[in-house]
Amino acid sequence: IRRFVARISDTRLQGFARDHGDWAASRRWFSRKRPPRIGFLAAGDELTASSRMRVHAVARALAEQDVPTQLDYTPGLDVLIVQKRLSDERLAIAQPAKADGCLLVYDVDDLGEALWYWTTPSLLEQILSNADLVVTATEEQREQLRVLHNTEPIAVVPCPIDYLRIAPGPAQVR
């Protein structure tokens, strides 16, 4: 988790230094004296495997380290992480958040047909062109995003081993 936050921080610093020159004057940046305030827009609830692993578990782990997290967006966040599901409504949240100085991260661990369940090609292109950082689960996905969508920067955060904290129901004998 600490490496994830550090990677976001380092990527943003490098990007602003490259793109804006005096990046500190051009946008709000969170102080190194306090942890970033992070909001997540999850694709699903904890019963959705990727959301359980890539949002809910990460948000809990960050909160345990005193990093303020929330499962929505409110003005004043330092980082907004949008997990794969896109709609016009989600972009209407993400684009103003970025304009307000929020680091916009798009987390996508599905590509191809699996991704089209969660979004459309048009919405995907919009978020990829606006995101400060794209996060995916494998090196292969990173390469596909680079080649097919000309996307940079891309970080790889592998999915952890999945397990449900919810006890399974009784088996049905036939």
Side-chain angles (χ1 to χ4, degrees), residues 41-44 82-87 90 106-107 115 118-119:
L41 297 181
V82 178
Q83 189 210 10
K84 72 182 165 185
R85 182 169 52 95
L86 296 175
S87 63
R90 282 180 161 231
Y106 181 59
D107 178 57
L115 181 58
W118 300 101
T119 188

Side-chain angles (χ1 to χ4, degrees), residues 41 73 80-100 104-107 118-132:
L41 297 181
Y73 172 75
L80 177 63
I81 301 173
V82 178
Q83 189 210 10
K84 72 182 165 185
R85 182 169 52 95
L86 296 175
S87 63
D88 290 330
E89 294 79 18
R90 282 180 161 231
L91 288 178
I93 294 169
Q95 291 167 337
K98 180 176 176 163
D100 188 40
L104 179 58
V105 178
Y106 181 59
D107 178 57
W118 300 101
T119 188
T120 66
S122 172
L123 293 172
L124 178 65
E125 291 303 324
Q126 287 181 58
I127 195 79
L128 292 177
S129 67
N130 282 299
D132 294 297

Side-chain angles (χ1 to χ4, degrees), residues 3-171:
R3 282 184 288 181
F4 176 69
V5 172
R7 179 173 281 162
I8 289 172
S9 302
D10 292 345
T11 300
R12 187 164 191 194
L13 289 171
Q14 292 167 8
F16 279 142
R18 180 188 65 241
D19 297 339
H20 298 288
D22 183 13
W23 58 267
S26 66
R27 286 207 174 180
R28 178 185 72 238
W29 175 246
F30 58 82
S31 166
R32 295 285 184 171
K33 296 177 184 173
R34 69 165 174 81
R37 295 167 302 211
I38 301 175
F40 293 88
L41 297 181
D45 61 19
E46 290 208 47
L47 295 178
T48 304
S50 63
S51 296
R52 181 173 54 255
M53 294 183 295
R54 299 184 71 80
V55 173
H56 298 281
V58 171
R60 274 194 303 274
L62 288 168
E64 289 170 4
Q65 296 181 41
D66 297 322
V67 175
T69 60
Q70 58 190 61
L71 296 176
D72 60 4
Y73 172 75
T74 54
L77 288 177
D78 298 304
V79 180
L80 177 63
I81 301 173
V82 178
Q83 189 210 10
K84 72 182 165 185
R85 182 169 52 95
L86 296 175
S87 63
D88 290 330
E89 294 79 18
R90 282 180 161 231
L91 288 178
I93 294 169
Q95 291 167 337
K98 180 176 176 163
D100 188 40
C102 188
L103 174 71
L104 179 58
V105 178
Y106 181 59
D107 178 57
V108 57
D109 63 339
D110 289 326
L111 292 177
E113 291 301 313
L115 181 58
W116 305 139
Y117 173 81
W118 300 101
T119 188
T120 66
S122 172
L123 293 172
L124 178 65
E125 291 303 324
Q126 287 181 58
I127 195 79
L128 292 177
S129 67
N130 282 299
D132 294 297
L133 175 65
V134 175
V135 176
T136 194
T138 67
E139 288 293 334
E140 293 79 11
Q141 289 173 331
R142 180 196 332 231
E143 189 58 27
Q144 282 187 352
L145 285 164
R146 281 185 179 143
V147 171
L148 298 175
H149 300 284
N150 195 27
T151 301
E152 288 290 340
I154 306 168
V156 174
V157 177
C159 289
I161 295 172
D162 186 23
Y163 64 94
L164 277 173
R165 292 180 179 238
I166 302 168

